[in-house]
Amino acid sequence: MAKEQKQEFVNFITPRSEDFSQWYTDVIKQTELCDYAPVRGCMIIRPYGYAIWERIQAEMDARFKETGAENVYFPMLIPESLLLKEAEHVEGFAPEVAWVTKGGTEELQERLAVRPTSETIFCSMYSKWVQTWRDLPMMYNQWCSVMRWEKATRPFLRTSEFLWQEGHTIHATAEEAEEETLKMLEVYREVAENILALPVYVGRKSDKEKFAGARATYSMEAMMQDGKALQAGTSHNFGTNFAEAFDIRYQSKEGKLEYVNETSWGVSTRLIGAIIMTHGDERGLRLPPKVAPIQAVILPIAAHKGGVMEACEKLFGDLKKAGFRVKLDDRDTVSPGFKFNDWELKGVPVRLEVGPRDLENGVVTVFRRDTLEKFTVPLEGITGKLGELLDDIQKTLYEQAKAFRDERTVKVENMEELGKAVENGFAKAMWCGDRACEDEIKEKFNASSRNMPFDQDAHRFGDKCVCCGKKAEKVMYFAKAY
Amino acid sequence: MAKEQKQEFVNFITPRSEDFSQWYTDVIKQTELCDYAPVRGCMIIRPYGYAIWERIQAEMDARFKETGAENVYFPMLIPESLLLKEAEHVEGFAPEVAWVTKGGTEELQERLAVRPTSETIFCSMYSKWVQTWRDLPMMYNQWCSVMRWEKATRPFLRTSEFLWQEGHTIHATAEEAEEETLKMLEVYREVAENILALPVYVGRKSDKEKFAGARATYSMEAMMQDGKALQAGTSHNFGTNFAEAFDIRYQSKEGKLEYVNETSWGVSTRLIGAIIMTHGDERGLRLPPKVAPIQAVILPIAAHKGGVMEACEKLFGDLKKAGFRVKLDDRDTVSPGFKFNDWELKGVPVRLEVGPRDLENGVVTVFRRDTLEKFTVPLEGITGKLGELLDDIQKTLYEQAKAFRDERTVKVENMEELGKAVENGFAKAMWCGDRACEDEIKEKFNASSRNMPFDQDAHRFGDKCVCCGKKAEKVMYFAKAY
């Protein structure tokens, strides 16, 4: 074996302050979260990225099941005739559908859509499965990929294929459907804020921005570090729109035939993009401990010195046994400096260094990725201390992001103020409710309405529309958005 | 609310002894494991079926990760030019590919295959990612769906789209690749036998039956109750076949450019079909406790009588807390008789009945789905007792299946015996290794070679080929197969 020259670390990340978009691209490539695929607009999610998705899935899935939702799997191909059944829906999706026209050597008589979303095929089965009120509610969810033939793509944010979950539920009454729609939005908010450390505004979308075929769409909206909003999850109430198109009726307790009320709700791998753009810094990723694939990395310093590797291995075993996601970086082909940079780039919340001097003093040297602080803690009791540290990092990341978001949220009273505010973040404005004003704001500032807070009374701060000056009762967040 | 007439149970299952194929179809429909989709050859996996798949996934996935494999996600669409790169591979798959030819309104310049399997697209990235020996091995797995445009389909056994996992690994040496191939087959065998209670023969496929592009394919083969074999999992060693086609080379420690050695391995929702056809009986499913979505169902008897519902709820809480997957069936719209039949149909391993007399005596009435025995056990200590019971049921199902399989495996010395044996199960035969003999056996008896046991010396029982009579050194299992 040839003698190894230890590799030195080179960080190729474009400064965030210089070019946020290039910074984002550099970070996802260099951290090996994903890579570009040899298929237009598609990406490959690599192990480090997929491990984050698995954490998000586990947290979401457990909560879905607590609400009584069950997982299923529906075919990825949807016959065109099904897609055509609900008029608004098809209008919304047809332009971005990928079509299968050939199976084996056979030309298909009816072309098949690679699912862009699955309302229609769920409906086709619900109409078969539902007979009476006893069969309701049906609350199904699937984890799968969907395909939307996008023109301009960006990894995790907008790709032709992406991973998501789509919940589709049917209920006896309008009230139950509305309750479900809001309940699932609350699940999303809770995971976003408590697990992903993403502060979000939850509220209702305007008619212009709602989902194709929905009566009401609710969303959660996060603020990225470049001042753009990111829609991070949506929940839709369809009322009886689809039930009427697909004839999904049930016999009520009173013996009458009634249409069901339907909802759908989804989050996607876009959440990974939100984590990167909310928490990342000049050194790379900063991952919230609850979603980090590796919560702490152990680095032996002067690993050849007596006792160092043994101590690292013992520490690794102890922390793993205590339930932490921990890694021992025992590579001998790179320098400690390389490792420092590598794990900072990858956003591991805590680095634990163990060297001969640490051992002499009965301590480990701790580095916090969130605050960049370095200090020692006693080796004895490290397990409890690490738990506290991770909790504190989780909290700190959330608070930093919330302070940033709050600072970037500005109440505006006229178009000039709105134009300025959306250069940096959210403009909170009174709005008359007319689409014409939304269109004008879009045209002038390339900003869109994001959502309206639920407790409008608590947020209202005037009665004139920010755009037309007419009577306005709605509080709306506007922003440039991904 | 109208006064309810309690529903009586009607079992529409065709007797298994009369028509096994119809029995299978009836069972999967009535237990609501799956349903036919409005897309040719596709199925919908309903909650009860999907919950079994989630159990299989959890067991498999944990073991994959223990071997160092990591999960990833690759695009579902594969450009035709990639698929064409490895000659044997494309020949094997091209006839059953579904093609995307249109994206949005645009005709694609190159058509895209909905992945039938992902060797080619993994290879296209491996050739980018691998530089030196330090990057090896790469051991990636993905859980996804694949599409094969099948002519004749059967739910779980052969559908145009199905769920599976596909592991794709690359290694520095031929030895490491062979070791990986066999290690993953052993993971499959262990889960099949210990979790799914499916006894399997593991061994090597003939050249005729190996995977398109593989140098060696290994499989596990299970025996269904109609005497047909089911290939339940495969692991392939590609050697450098794909590496040469895709130019995947690494710099060795000695500084030389070398081709990587590659493997792939997969199991699918077909395993659910194997569970049904191995363990099911006239009453419906019998699910092994380790994979059953519901391990025990609690039925209140005379639920209106004082204390019954309270006792059931307490029992439910205790069992759930102890980690069992348990359900309390408190429906008041169906009779207890309906419930008995319903849960027997669905194959729940243990039924716990709690009625006023049981409570008086401080017992619960237990029904074992595997042996159909009914007996009482003290309510005190039920948690420990249930654990023992489930272990015993798991063991009993495996032993019943193994006794059946062993009984249906017959050593044969000539074609007449082989023809008889494959009517009922496996024919174990000496084989010369020539494809001509495999073809003759296929033509005469519609039976195919399944696999060759690893320890050939231990199995060898003659030296003449069962078909041509020439010198034979190989022991091969032949069977009719799904």
Side-chain angles (χ1 to χ4, degrees):
Chain A
M1 179 178 159
K3 190 161 159 35
E4 292 299 322
Q5 183 74 35
K6 285 196 181 169
Q7 269 182 277
E8 282 311 315
F9 191 87
V10 188
N11 180 334
F12 291 103
I13 300 177
T14 303
R16 183 178 47 158
S17 51
E18 214 169 80
D19 183 343
F20 189 79
S21 169
Q22 190 58 48
W23 168 85
Y24 178 78
T25 308
D26 291 349
V27 166
I28 56 169
K29 277 282 286 188
Q30 280 209 44
T31 53
E32 299 186 348
L33 289 175
C34 70
D35 203 345
Y36 295 94
V39 191
R40 207 199 67 164
C42 290
M43 67 171 169
I44 286 149
I45 308 182
R46 300 183 72 176
Y48 200 54
Y50 200 84
I52 298 176
W53 183 237
E54 287 183 309
R55 297 295 319 143
I56 296 174
Q57 284 188 302
E59 297 283 352
M60 290 279 183
D61 198 68
R63 286 165 176 82
F64 297 164
K65 283 174 178 157
E66 269 169 38
T67 74
E70 299 175 291
N71 284 340
V72 296
Y73 187 77
F74 272 64
M76 69 154 88
L77 298 182
I78 301 178
E80 184 168 23
S81 55
L82 274 187
L83 213 58
L84 296 175
K85 275 201 170 182
E86 210 284 337
E88 277 181 51
H89 188 70
V90 67
E91 202 182 311
F93 281 103
E96 50 187 47
V97 165
W99 294 101
V100 170
T101 60
K102 208 168 170 184
T105 53
E106 158 201 2
E107 280 300 331
L108 302 187
Q109 297 203 323
E110 178 180 16
R111 59 186 189 163
L112 303 168
V114 181
R115 67 175 156 235
T117 179
S118 302
E119 278 76 10
T120 54
I121 195 160
F122 270 81
C123 283
S124 76
M125 298 312 291
Y126 280 145
S127 72
K128 252 180 84 173
W129 292 336
V130 175
Q131 313 288 336
T132 79
W133 61 273
R134 282 186 208 89
D135 303 319
L136 295 173
M138 285 190 185
M139 300 188 292
Y140 295 163
N141 173 64
Q142 68 179 1
W143 293 93
C144 62
S145 81
V146 285
M147 175 78 62
R148 294 174 191 177
W149 211 252
E150 299 280 0
K151 293 260 172 350
T153 59
R154 272 167 78 66
F156 294 121
L157 300 179
R158 192 174 296 279
T159 46
S160 294
E161 185 188 7
F162 57 92
L163 299 181
W164 79 347
Q165 59 67 219
E166 45 179 327
H168 298 273
T169 71
I170 51 175
H171 306 265
T173 67
E175 292 71 31
E176 284 172 65
E178 182 69 2
E179 191 188 318
E180 170 75 6
T181 314
L182 297 176
K183 185 194 288 172
M184 300 320 290
L185 185 72
E186 171 57 17
V187 167
Y188 291 162
R189 185 205 61 76
E190 197 268 315
V191 173
E193 300 203 326
N194 296 344
I195 306 296
L196 314 184
L198 301 176
V200 290
Y201 287 136
V202 292
R204 183 172 176 164
K205 287 279 190 189
S206 71
D207 281 349
K208 179 185 175 186
E209 298 289 338
K210 74 183 185 189
F211 186 79
R215 293 207 180 151
T217 288
Y218 303 95
S219 74
M220 60 177 181
E221 305 277 337
M223 176 50 51
M224 304 300 102
Q225 291 183 63
D226 61 350
K228 284 165 91 172
L230 184 90
Q231 178 176 293
T234 49
S235 188
H236 317 289
N237 186 343
F238 295 110
T240 58
N241 277 1
F242 278 93
E244 287 169 36
F246 285 84
D247 196 30
I248 316 176
R249 289 190 286 183
Y250 70 97
Q251 195 174 38
S252 72
K253 285 183 190 174
E254 294 75 27
K256 280 171 59 184
L257 266 186
E258 306 270 9
Y259 286 115
V260 301
N261 284 265
E262 188 165 7
T263 87
S264 79
W265 27 275
V267 293
S268 73
T269 36
R270 189 168 232 223
L271 285 170
I272 299 173
I275 293 168
I276 301 164
M277 292 196 299
T278 300
H279 302 301
D281 67 10
E282 300 298 1
R283 299 192 191 189
L285 293 175
R286 296 193 309 164
L287 294 177
K290 288 190 181 167
V291 82
I294 303 168
Q295 296 175 309
V297 62
I298 300 169
L299 295 198
I301 308 294
H304 56 283
K305 292 271 175 72
V308 169
M309 276 312 296
E310 292 76 3
C312 286
E313 275 159 18
K314 180 171 183 317
L315 181 59
F316 174 77
D318 289 349
L319 294 177
K320 196 170 172 183
K321 206 173 142 195
F324 295 107
R325 296 187 291 279
V326 61
K327 186 179 174 76
L328 169 58
D329 183 355
D330 57 4
R331 287 179 286 179
D332 59 5
T333 54
V334 295
S335 68
F338 181 101
K339 293 181 185 179
F340 287 2
N341 290 323
D342 192 23
W343 295 114
E344 285 172 25
L345 172 67
K346 291 208 167 79
V348 172
V350 169
R351 181 171 78 225
L352 302 171
E353 302 165 24
V354 179
R357 185 169 302 168
D358 297 305
L359 290 180
E360 262 170 44
N361 298 328
V363 300
V364 292
T365 301
V366 174
F367 173 79
R368 276 180 73 143
R369 181 64 183 86
D370 59 335
T371 57
L372 309 180
E373 290 166 296
K374 201 163 171 168
F375 48 92
T376 60
V377 302
L379 194 49
E380 177 124 0
I382 183 74
T383 305
K385 182 68 188 164
L386 179 60
E388 285 166 32
L389 252 173
L390 292 173
D391 286 349
D392 197 58
I393 294 171
Q394 181 80 28
K395 199 167 141 244
T396 303
L397 286 174
Y398 177 78
E399 281 169 2
Q400 287 179 353
K402 185 163 182 305
F404 180 89
R405 190 272 314 264
D406 290 349
E407 199 180 283
R408 299 285 185 121
T409 303
V410 177
K411 281 187 193 171
V412 298
E413 304 208 342
N414 56 50
M415 287 290 267
E416 198 191 334
E417 288 175 9
L418 189 148
K420 270 187 204 153
V422 298
E423 285 303 311
N424 291 309
F426 288 113
K428 188 174 184 177
M430 296 306 301
W431 169 57
C432 64
D434 280 356
R435 174 157 180 168
C437 291
E438 282 179 281
D439 288 341
E440 192 176 332
I441 290 166
K442 179 77 186 172
E443 201 186 319
K444 277 204 173 132
F445 307 119
N446 194 29
S448 51
S449 72
R450 305 316 304 160
N451 67 26
M452 294 175 275
F454 286 113
D455 185 356
Q456 289 268 308
D457 287 339
H459 287 83
R460 204 170 286 127
F461 61 98
D463 62 357
K464 283 201 181 65
C465 176
V466 69
C467 182
C468 67
K470 285 186 196 149
K471 191 165 159 51
E473 292 194 330
K474 295 186 162 73
V475 183
M476 176 63 90
Y477 291 107
F478 290 89
K480 300 190 180 195
Y482 278 95
Chain B
M1 178 177 157
K3 191 164 157 37
E4 293 297 326
Q5 182 73 35
K6 288 201 179 166
Q7 268 183 276
E8 282 309 315
F9 191 88
V10 189
N11 179 335
F12 290 103
I13 299 177
T14 303
R16 181 177 49 159
S17 51
E18 212 170 83
D19 182 344
F20 188 78
S21 169
Q22 191 58 47
W23 169 86
Y24 178 78
T25 308
D26 291 348
V27 167
I28 57 169
K29 277 283 285 186
Q30 281 209 45
T31 51
E32 298 187 351
L33 289 175
C34 70
D35 204 348
Y36 295 93
V39 191
R40 207 199 67 164
C42 291
M43 66 171 170
I44 285 148
I45 308 182
R46 301 182 73 174
Y48 199 56
Y50 200 84
I52 298 176
W53 183 235
E54 288 182 306
R55 297 295 319 145
I56 296 174
Q57 285 188 301
E59 297 283 354
M60 289 281 183
D61 198 68
R63 287 166 176 80
F64 297 164
K65 285 175 176 154
E66 269 169 38
T67 74
E70 299 175 291
N71 284 340
V72 296
Y73 186 76
F74 272 64
M76 70 155 82
L77 299 181
I78 300 178
E80 184 168 21
S81 55
L82 274 189
L83 212 60
L84 295 176
K85 275 201 169 182
E86 211 285 336
E88 277 181 50
H89 189 68
V90 66
E91 202 183 311
F93 281 103
E96 48 187 47
V97 165
W99 295 101
V100 170
T101 60
K102 209 169 171 185
T105 52
E106 159 202 1
E107 281 299 331
L108 303 186
Q109 298 203 321
E110 178 180 15
R111 59 184 189 167
L112 303 168
V114 181
R115 66 176 156 234
T117 180
S118 301
E119 277 76 10
T120 55
I121 195 161
F122 270 79
C123 283
S124 76
M125 299 311 291
Y126 280 145
S127 72
K128 253 180 83 174
W129 291 336
V130 175
Q131 313 289 336
T132 79
W133 61 272
R134 282 188 208 88
D135 303 320
L136 295 174
M138 286 190 183
M139 300 189 293
Y140 294 163
N141 174 64
Q142 69 179 359
W143 293 94
C144 63
S145 81
V146 285
M147 175 79 62
R148 296 175 189 175
W149 210 254
E150 300 280 2
K151 294 263 175 343
T153 60
R154 273 167 81 64
F156 293 120
L157 301 180
R158 192 174 296 279
T159 46
S160 293
E161 185 188 8
F162 57 91
L163 299 180
W164 80 345
Q165 57 68 220
E166 45 179 329
H168 298 273
T169 71
I170 50 175
H171 306 265
T173 67
E175 292 69 33
E176 284 172 63
E178 181 70 5
E179 192 189 319
E180 171 75 6
T181 314
L182 296 176
K183 186 195 286 173
M184 301 319 290
L185 184 72
E186 172 58 16
V187 167
Y188 291 161
R189 185 205 63 76
E190 196 269 316
V191 173
E193 299 201 330
N194 295 346
I195 306 297
L196 314 183
L198 300 176
V200 290
Y201 287 135
V202 291
R204 182 172 178 163
K205 287 278 191 189
S206 71
D207 282 348
K208 179 185 176 186
E209 298 289 337
K210 74 183 183 188
F211 186 77
R215 292 205 180 152
T217 288
Y218 303 94
S219 75
M220 60 179 182
E221 306 278 336
M223 177 50 51
M224 305 298 101
Q225 291 183 63
D226 61 350
K228 283 165 91 172
L230 185 88
Q231 178 176 297
T234 48
S235 188
H236 315 290
N237 186 344
F238 295 110
T240 58
N241 278 359
F242 278 92
E244 289 170 36
F246 284 83
D247 196 28
I248 315 175
R249 288 189 287 181
Y250 70 97
Q251 194 175 37
S252 71
K253 286 184 189 172
E254 293 76 27
K256 279 169 63 184
L257 268 184
E258 306 269 11
Y259 285 115
V260 301
N261 283 265
E262 188 165 7
T263 85
S264 80
W265 27 274
V267 294
S268 74
T269 36
R270 187 168 234 224
L271 285 171
I272 299 174
I275 293 168
I276 302 165
M277 292 196 297
T278 299
H279 302 302
D281 68 10
E282 300 297 0
R283 300 190 189 190
L285 292 176
R286 298 193 307 164
L287 294 177
K290 289 191 181 167
V291 82
I294 303 168
Q295 297 176 308
V297 63
I298 300 168
L299 295 197
I301 307 296
H304 56 281
K305 292 274 175 72
V308 168
M309 276 313 294
E310 292 76 2
C312 286
E313 275 158 18
K314 179 170 184 318
L315 182 58
F316 173 76
D318 290 348
L319 294 178
K320 197 172 171 181
K321 208 171 139 196
F324 295 107
R325 296 187 292 276
V326 61
K327 186 179 175 78
L328 169 58
D329 184 354
D330 56 4
R331 286 178 289 180
D332 60 3
T333 53
V334 295
S335 67
F338 181 100
K339 293 180 184 181
F340 287 3
N341 290 323
D342 192 22
W343 296 113
E344 287 173 21
L345 172 67
K346 291 208 168 76
V348 172
V350 169
R351 182 170 79 224
L352 302 171
E353 302 165 23
V354 180
R357 184 168 303 170
D358 296 305
L359 290 179
E360 263 170 44
N361 298 327
V363 299
V364 294
T365 300
V366 174
F367 174 78
R368 276 179 75 142
R369 180 63 183 87
D370 59 334
T371 56
L372 309 179
E373 291 166 296
K374 202 164 172 170
F375 50 92
T376 60
V377 301
L379 194 49
E380 176 122 0
I382 183 73
T383 305
K385 182 69 188 165
L386 180 59
E388 285 166 32
L389 252 174
L390 292 173
D391 285 348
D392 197 58
I393 294 171
Q394 182 79 29
K395 199 167 142 246
T396 303
L397 287 175
Y398 177 77
E399 280 169 3
Q400 288 178 352
K402 185 164 182 303
F404 179 87
R405 192 271 314 262
D406 290 349
E407 200 180 282
R408 298 285 185 121
T409 302
V410 177
K411 281 188 193 171
V412 298
E413 305 207 344
N414 55 51
M415 287 289 267
E416 198 191 332
E417 286 175 11
L418 189 149
K420 271 189 202 152
V422 298
E423 285 304 310
N424 291 310
F426 287 113
K428 187 174 183 177
M430 296 307 299
W431 170 55
C432 63
D434 281 355
R435 177 160 177 165
C437 291
E438 282 179 281
D439 288 342
E440 190 176 332
I441 289 165
K442 180 76 185 172
E443 200 186 321
K444 276 204 173 132
F445 306 120
N446 194 28
S448 51
S449 71
R450 304 316 303 161
N451 66 25
M452 294 174 275
F454 286 114
D455 185 355
Q456 287 269 307
D457 287 339
H459 287 84
R460 203 169 288 125
F461 61 96
D463 62 0
K464 285 203 180 64
C465 175
V466 69
C467 181
C468 68
K470 286 186 195 147
K471 191 165 161 44
E473 291 194 331
K474 295 185 162 72
V475 182
M476 175 63 91
Y477 291 106
F478 290 89
K480 299 187 180 199
Y482 279 94

